[in-house]
Amino acid sequence: MMKRVALLALSVALATAFLAAVAAHAASPGFREGDWLLYHMEVTAKSPALASQLGTDHVSAEAEVKVTIERISGDTFTVRYHVLSVKTEPQQASQLAANLRRLDGVTKQYRLDQGFDSKEIPLYVSPEKLSNGGRYAGSEGAVSYEAVYDTRTGWLRHSLVKADVMGATLQAEMKLVKTSFSGGTGTATLVVTAAVAGAVAAAAAVIALKLRKRAA
């Protein structure tokens, strides 16, 4: 009898431990606090109005951006952007560079069960919430977007955001260089969120407007 009771207790303990392990695995997002992703971002603005002032109808800015997973708490996690370097072509494209530098120190909170949001394309979508094989496309006013997510990890792998404002065309692109966690390494293409693209598009429009006034 005692042997049966001991065996039953052992079975219950093993079952409890097994269920706890399964629950922990299910809750694990596949990354930890301190993990990071390194991106190469490029923003380009093109407008005929630029040619008379700069001798070229387009300007561009590039940046190396590191995104760090700063905190995981319950069913949410927070990422922080670190702008490591910025360069422009030509050098007069300071407004584009300034918009990229504004990303430095910015934080963004996501849910582990995060879904896709066309108004502000998230860097992460829970794999369980992805549809259409992780591929999305659409438009919001003057901004059009395409996005492709890694269906295994949930991280954005390829997207393209374009905006046409006051005769100026803006494109924001970001390439994933590498990550610190398993399952996310390799080269992919990303584009900055629609919200950031909108801010840079507005800056590009202001530049074009100023140049038009000067030309007039």
Side-chain angles (χ1 to χ4, degrees):
M1 182 65 180
M2 291 184 65
K3 288 183 178 180
R4 289 182 179 178
V5 172
L7 182 59
L8 178 60
L10 179 60
S11 298
V12 171
L14 289 174
T16 301
F18 174 74
L19 291 175
V22 170
H25 178 72
S28 173
F31 49 82
R32 300 173 297 177
E33 292 181 359
D35 277 334
W36 49 267
L37 306 95
L38 182 64
Y39 302 122
H40 177 80
M41 182 188 297
E42 182 172 358
V43 179
T44 303
K46 185 174 182 179
S47 171
L50 295 172
S52 60
Q53 183 69 19
L54 303 179
T56 178
D57 65 350
H58 66 278
V59 294
S60 64
E62 299 180 19
E64 295 296 326
V65 181
K66 185 177 183 181
V67 178
T68 302
I69 298 163
E70 199 165 73
R71 183 182 182 188
I72 302 175
S73 178
D75 60 353
T76 66
F77 67 95
T78 302
V79 301
R80 183 181 294 272
Y81 291 83
H82 306 274
V83 179
L84 304 181
S85 64
V86 178
K87 65 178 181 178
T88 60
E89 181 62 41
Q91 292 184 351
Q92 296 96 314
S94 58
Q95 187 62 58
L96 292 181
N99 276 274
L100 290 179
R101 290 192 180 96
R102 288 195 184 104
L103 281 174
D104 193 50
V106 170
T107 60
K108 176 70 178 179
Q109 186 179 79
Y110 291 108
R111 302 188 311 275
L112 292 178
D113 64 349
Q114 175 77 37
F116 180 75
D117 183 358
S118 62
K119 294 182 178 179
E120 185 177 354
I121 299 171
L123 286 179
Y124 174 84
V125 173
S126 170
E128 289 76 16
K129 293 292 184 72
L130 290 172
S131 58
N132 304 317
R135 296 175 177 270
Y136 300 86
S139 61
E140 294 286 339
V143 178
S144 63
Y145 67 88
E146 299 174 9
V148 179
Y149 289 84
D150 187 317
T151 57
R152 187 162 58 93
T153 67
W155 289 95
L156 183 64
R157 292 189 60 80
H158 173 269
S159 68
L160 182 65
V161 176
K162 293 182 179 180
D164 292 301
V165 183
M166 297 177 61
T169 300
L170 178 111
Q171 178 172 305
E173 184 175 19
M174 199 155 116
K175 295 180 180 180
L176 177 61
V177 179
K178 60 183 177 180
T179 72
S180 64
F181 52 88
S182 61
T185 56
T187 300
T189 304
L190 277 145
V191 166
V192 67
T193 64
V196 177
V200 182
V206 170
I207 292 174
L209 180 60
K210 286 182 178 179
L211 291 179
R212 284 174 181 170
K213 288 183 177 179
R214 289 177 184 175

